Amino acid sequence: MRRPVRGTAVVALALTGLLVVSACAKDSGGSSTGPTATGAACEFATPPGAPATPNTGTTEADGVKVDGSALKIGLAYDIGGRGDASFNDLAAAGFDRAIADFGVRKENTRELSASPNEDESVKQSRLRQLAREGFNPIVGVGFAYTESLKVVAPEFPEVRFGLVDSAVEGAANVTPLVFAEQEGAFLAGVVAAYQSKKCHVGFVGGVDIPLIHKFEAGYAQGAKAAAPNIVVEKKYITPATDFTGFQDPAKGLETAKGLIEKGADVLYPAAGASGIGVFSAVKQAGVLAIGCDADQYNQPSLADTRDVIVASSLKRVDVAVYDFFSAAARNDLASLPKVFDLKVDGVGYATSGGKVDAKLQGILEGFKAQIIDGSIKVADKP
């Protein structure tokens, strides 16, 4: 039986003020699903009723003292590193909280960053550097470290590696920290349908890769569960070989404009820092947006555009990183969930800003309960 996530209630506070990362197809023309938009509001399906007691995720009671004073912990970031106001900053939040809560000495911590489109050998060298300097455990932030860990993990069998968003088959010393991103995106799709005035919404993906397809799939499924005839446009900023789609706000802005011109009036970007440009386009056009991975309404750098953000899907990378270091300190990595999903509060949603009323909140909780109990199966592929 899977044990619940520790520290979620504490670490979730670190989400406030963070921009997301996102994970999301091609730089070719956009596409849409659903009938031609008529400009009319949606006709909604009968929604599920809100549960008597809203399920806020299963968490283990705090109070277990974790002593990490003997640990040397390392973090290998994906492109952008600390300060990207995105995926890496969520990992940094969990790293910082672990240092503070577990008594890790500052001199026993190390963070290393990556460069865009760097050679695989550079990633391997980064991981080897941390391992050779005695850091253990070490977290690789992002699936980009998958191939590198296939090589490096066997060289250091005593080092415990955590890998965000991926797994290394057969590597006993690599713990996958993976998420059911599609479940949070499903709830984002429900919000989008209820907020759209034209029954026409859009999805902006950063890079055309399977990880981002999970966001697209869940978003489209959620929107259609709420309003079966809704139009869902999609557009990816760059193809799979070009990861600049996660850090190009200018391209995010232009991509968003294209979807808005097609009629989409609620956009959901899963595009990392490129989402900044999406929010700018949304603001300029007078339409709405949904944040991704963190509660983007509360991101200080988005103060000028946050009024267009009606909700955010949450991917609690900070919780996963924090819980990995906690489990490693306790020599209990088996306690970690196989997947950080709605059931363990590893994904979710935020409604900061006051634009989601009590009725919609109840509908969201109803859908959430059905996903948790298995009545709704959320697809992870479009």
Side-chain angles (χ1 to χ4, degrees), residues 44 47-50 190 194 356-367:
F44 297 107
V190 173
Y194 277 90
V356 173
D357 61 19
K359 179 180 178 181
L360 180 51
Q361 185 81 35
I363 291 170
L364 288 169
E365 287 299 318
F367 277 118

Side-chain angles (χ1 to χ4, degrees), residues 9 16 49 68 84 116 122 153 161 180 187 201 210 250 263 269 301 307 326 331 333 346 357:
T16 302
D84 73 341
V122 179
F161 293 95
L187 299 175
V201 300
S301 65
D307 57 311
S326 173
N331 292 313
L333 290 173
D357 61 19

Side-chain angles (χ1 to χ4, degrees), residues 21-24 78 87-88 90-91 139-146 149 162-168 174-182 209-212 214-215 246 293 315-317 320-321 338-340 346-347:
V21 32
S22 270
C24 310
D78 203 346
F87 187 69
N88 291 288
L90 289 169
V139 172
V141 183
F143 65 89
Y145 285 98
T146 306
L149 279 171
L163 177 58
V164 176
D165 280 345
S166 191
V168 178
V174 179
T175 299
L177 305 174
V178 295
F179 300 81
E181 294 94 344
Q182 67 276 13
I209 52 176
L211 177 61
I212 304 310
K214 294 167 72 176
F215 287 89
F246 289 138
D293 288 347
K315 176 178 174 179
R316 295 188 166 107
V317 176
V321 169
K338 299 299 182 184
V339 178
F340 288 84
V347 297

Side-chain angles (χ1 to χ4, degrees), residues 26 49-51 53 71 74 81 140 168 180 230 293 295 304 310 322 341 362 382:
K26 300 179 201 176
T53 303
L71 291 181
V168 178
I230 196 168
D293 288 347
D295 186 353
D304 290 341
V310 296
Y322 179 95
D341 57 11

